[in-house]
């Protein structure tokens, strides 16, 4: 791997957030390009301000997986819910259900049910979701090399000019300038996709003074053609990367691994049972690659592919990943498509495209029984065979909604049988089994956490309530609350998503 533009890695993250938020593929990249051109060419902003706008637009939905399991409990398919939320305007005189019907994707019964539920839970679940989202954006974003002002702006992406946003209800110019610019650009891009430039202008003007800063809305309407010019570009990735305000930020090959780890954590927040999975797979695959004699650059490529192998999970509802019972045919097919979306994301970004054949093949099997391509034998790269074995071993030794975690010996037995049957590569399985044998003698206790606090943190990261954690550890809910208070103080995190990201950063999971 070589030095790459940071913008390209952030573009991959933007594509992944599109999947997680139920948006059309590349919507985030188009919003980024429009927001940056709007700030630079229409508003005349200086280079640093344009940089903050650019980064905020690329990372606008960075927190959208942070509360997915909880939203799925309330709304079912939280991906569809998040998609609908982008189009709803509580400041409009038109009832929310009627606004959904205008989109043409909803039945009257479904639209009314969703808006009734939203109205009921917004003051509680909605605010908590946005608190998780903001903290996740802060903690994940801090590992992406963006400006501090960008992290501040990410706190405001769900706020509104009229104060009816969440989680803080910030009003007017108390909302960061970059966030207000991105709000205008996003609404313009969403409307443009449904009706070109006149629709974009109408949408922005219609939301002025409510959702949107009225001055920015007027400026957009006065020069909409210039602001929307990037939408005529055929390649959204190239358009967004070229819109980056100079000087262009670059990262070394070694630093790319750290950025990939952030993308893996973003995806792992998608389900209560997935937290820490990507890093777990990456550790196993990296160690196995070294044991197998791969060159240093090949090991680095394998680690990065392992960290990104599940990007496509983001587009599937947490309800599917957290379901304790068997999946029906439709949901099974959705699960099988997650490797396709991993491939789509990585192939769209030149800096990460070489990782796609490895990352997207982690469910392929030597006998052709895997997915999504059904490749067999020599068509599966050696690194992908190691990744497939590492993914199986890691998943087995992690708990899931429908089963407890396998012991190491049970997982070794399962992997051995897979190798003997010809579904997984024997040499790759041997390497992963050897890699799994190197376990630390002394568990780490970062931030001064006690052994019991780490136990509580691990369960809290999976979204268990105080009562559930207490039952798991045979302690009272009140004691769990005391432990959580200490955990929040020691880690500096204040939400379930925040402590989950901390646990992944410190490799405390699974």
């Amino acid at each position: 791997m070589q030095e790459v533009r940071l913008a390209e890695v952030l573009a991959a993250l933007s594509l992944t957030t599109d999947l997680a938020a139920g948006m059309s593929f590349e919507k985030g990249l188009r919003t980024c390009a429009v927001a940056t051109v709007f700030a630079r060419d229409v508003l005349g902003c200086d280079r640093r301000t344009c940089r903050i706008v650019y980064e905020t637009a690329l990372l606008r939905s960075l927190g959208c997986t942070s509360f997915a399991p909880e939203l799925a409990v309330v709304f079912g398919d939280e991906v569809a819910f998040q998609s609908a939320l982008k189009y709803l305007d509580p400041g409009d005189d038109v009832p929310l259900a009627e606004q959904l019907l205008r989109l043409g994707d909803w039945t009257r019964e479904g639209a009314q049910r969703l808006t009734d539920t939203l109205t009921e839970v917004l003051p509680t679940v909605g605010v908590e979701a946005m608190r998780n989202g903001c903290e996740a954006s802060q903690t994940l974003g801090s590992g992406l090399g963006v400006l501090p002002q960008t992290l501040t702006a990410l706190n405001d992406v769900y706020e509104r000019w009229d104060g009816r946003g969440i989680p803080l209800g910030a009003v007017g110019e108390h909302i960061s300038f970059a966030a207000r610019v991105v709000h205008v650009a996003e609404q313009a891009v969403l409307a443009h996709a449904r009706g070109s430039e006149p629709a974009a202008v109408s949408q922005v003007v219609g939301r002025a003074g409510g959702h949107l800063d009225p001055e920015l809305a007027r400026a957009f309407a006065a020069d909409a053609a210039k602001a929307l010019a990037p939408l005529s570009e055929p390649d959204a990735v190239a358009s967004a990367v070229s819109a980056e305000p100079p000087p262009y930020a670059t990262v070394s090959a070694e630093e790319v691994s750290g950025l990939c780890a952030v993308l893996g954590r973003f995806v792992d927040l998608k389900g209560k049972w997935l937290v820490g999975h990507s890093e777990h797979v990456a550790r196993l695959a990296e160690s196995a690659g070294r044991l197998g004699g791969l060159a240093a650059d090949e090991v680095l490529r394998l680690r990065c592919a392992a960290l990104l192998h599940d990007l496509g999970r983001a587009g599937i509802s947490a309800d599917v990943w957290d379901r304790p019972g068997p999946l029906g045919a439709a949901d099974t097919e959705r699960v099988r498509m997650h490797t396709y979306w991993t491939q789509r994301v990585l192939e769209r970004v030149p800096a990460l495209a070489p990782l796609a054949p490895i990352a997207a093949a982690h469910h392929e099997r030597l006998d052709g029984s895997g997915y999504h391509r059904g490749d067999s034998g020599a068509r599966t790269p050696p690194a992908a065979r190691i990744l497939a074995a590492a993914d199986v071993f890691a998943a087995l030794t992690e708990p899931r909604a429908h089963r407890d975690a396998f012991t190491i010996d049970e997982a070794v037995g399962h992997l051995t049988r897979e190798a003997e049957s010809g579904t997984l590569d024997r040499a790759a399985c041997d390497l992963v089994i050897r890699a799994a044998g190197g376990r630390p003698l002394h568990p780490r206790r970062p931030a001064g956490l006690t052994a019991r606090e780490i136990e509580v943190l691990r369960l809290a990261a999976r979204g268990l309530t105080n009562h559930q954690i207490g039952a798991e550890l045979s302690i009272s809910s009140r004691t769990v609350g005391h432990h959580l208070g200490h955990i929040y103080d020691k880690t500096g995190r204040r939400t379930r998503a925040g402590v989950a990201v901390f646990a992944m950063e410190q490799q405390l999971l699974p």
Side-chain angles (χ1 to χ4, degrees), residues 139 155 256 353 370 447 494 502 505:
T139 54
N155 278 330
V256 172
R494 287 291 178 267
F502 177 86
E505 290 171 341

Side-chain angles (χ1 to χ4, degrees), residues 97-145:
E98 293 297 323
Q99 293 181 40
L100 283 179
L101 289 175
R102 288 177 177 177
L103 300 178
D105 302 325
W106 292 81
T107 65
R108 181 167 296 278
E109 180 183 2
Q112 191 62 56
R113 183 167 57 248
L114 174 64
T115 54
D116 287 347
T117 304
L118 180 61
T119 302
E120 179 182 350
V121 305
L122 188 62
T124 53
V125 174
V127 171
E128 185 63 20
M130 293 309 105
R131 286 183 62 244
N132 275 264
C134 290
E135 182 160 69
S137 295
Q138 291 277 318
T139 54
L140 293 170
S142 63
L144 293 172

Side-chain angles (χ1 to χ4, degrees), residues 32-342:
C32 172
V34 168
T36 307
V37 169
F38 178 43
R40 184 190 66 208
D41 297 346
V42 177
L43 301 176
C45 296
D46 60 68
R47 188 175 293 176
R48 185 174 181 84
T49 300
C50 288
R51 178 87 200 177
I52 299 166
V53 169
Y54 180 81
E55 293 176 344
T56 302
L58 271 182
L59 304 180
R60 182 251 181 273
S61 295
L62 185 55
C64 68
T65 57
S66 63
F67 210 63
E70 291 84 353
L71 289 177
V73 170
V74 177
F75 295 102
D77 186 344
E78 93 292 340
V79 175
F81 163 71
Q82 292 199 62
S83 175
L85 205 60
K86 288 286 196 300
Y87 296 96
L88 294 178
D89 182 3
D92 197 322
D93 292 336
V94 177
L96 296 180
E98 293 297 323
Q99 293 181 40
L100 283 179
L101 289 175
R102 288 177 177 177
L103 300 178
D105 302 325
W106 292 81
T107 65
R108 181 167 296 278
E109 180 183 2
Q112 191 62 56
R113 183 167 57 248
L114 174 64
T115 54
D116 287 347
T117 304
L118 180 61
T119 302
E120 179 182 350
V121 305
L122 188 62
T124 53
V125 174
V127 171
E128 185 63 20
M130 293 309 105
R131 286 183 62 244
N132 275 264
C134 290
E135 182 160 69
S137 295
Q138 291 277 318
T139 54
L140 293 170
S142 63
L144 293 172
V146 299
L147 296 172
Q149 294 91 334
T150 300
L151 300 180
T152 299
L154 290 174
N155 278 330
D156 295 336
V157 294
Y158 296 105
E159 301 291 354
R160 292 170 50 98
W161 177 263
D162 60 9
R164 300 180 68 174
I166 50 180
L168 299 178
V171 180
E173 294 184 358
H174 290 288
I175 302 169
S176 67
F177 176 77
R180 285 182 274 140
V181 171
V182 172
H183 289 163
V184 171
E186 181 178 48
Q187 288 304 313
V189 167
L190 290 172
H192 187 277
R194 291 179 173 268
S196 69
E197 184 181 322
V201 172
S202 176
Q203 176 79 341
V204 168
V205 170
R207 292 196 176 212
H211 181 189
L212 305 178
D213 179 335
E215 288 295 328
L216 294 182
R218 278 192 286 272
F220 174 86
D223 215 345
K226 183 179 291 185
L228 295 171
L231 299 184
S232 64
E233 297 293 329
D235 188 333
V237 173
S239 176
V241 171
S242 66
E244 180 187 11
Y248 306 134
T250 60
V251 291
S252 67
E254 291 72 22
E255 292 172 313
V256 172
S257 174
L259 298 176
C260 291
V262 175
L263 270 70
R265 290 166 196 151
F266 166 80
V267 172
D268 285 1
L269 288 172
K270 186 69 183 188
K272 294 180 180 180
W273 304 91
L274 303 176
V275 180
H277 174 71
S278 295
E279 179 65 42
H280 188 192
V281 174
R283 290 199 304 269
L284 283 172
E286 180 182 18
S287 296
R290 286 204 179 97
L291 289 170
L294 295 184
D297 63 331
E298 293 176 313
V299 172
L300 179 60
R301 189 177 297 111
L302 175 56
R303 172 171 173 77
C304 290
L307 289 167
L308 302 176
H309 77 283
D310 268 344
L311 289 184
R313 280 187 189 263
I316 302 166
S317 173
D319 175 62
V320 173
W321 299 121
D322 289 345
R323 195 174 304 166
L327 299 179
D331 285 334
T332 298
E333 188 59 28
R334 292 170 69 192
V335 166
R336 289 169 64 89
M337 288 298 290
H338 83 274
T339 55
Y340 164 79
W341 284 109
T342 294

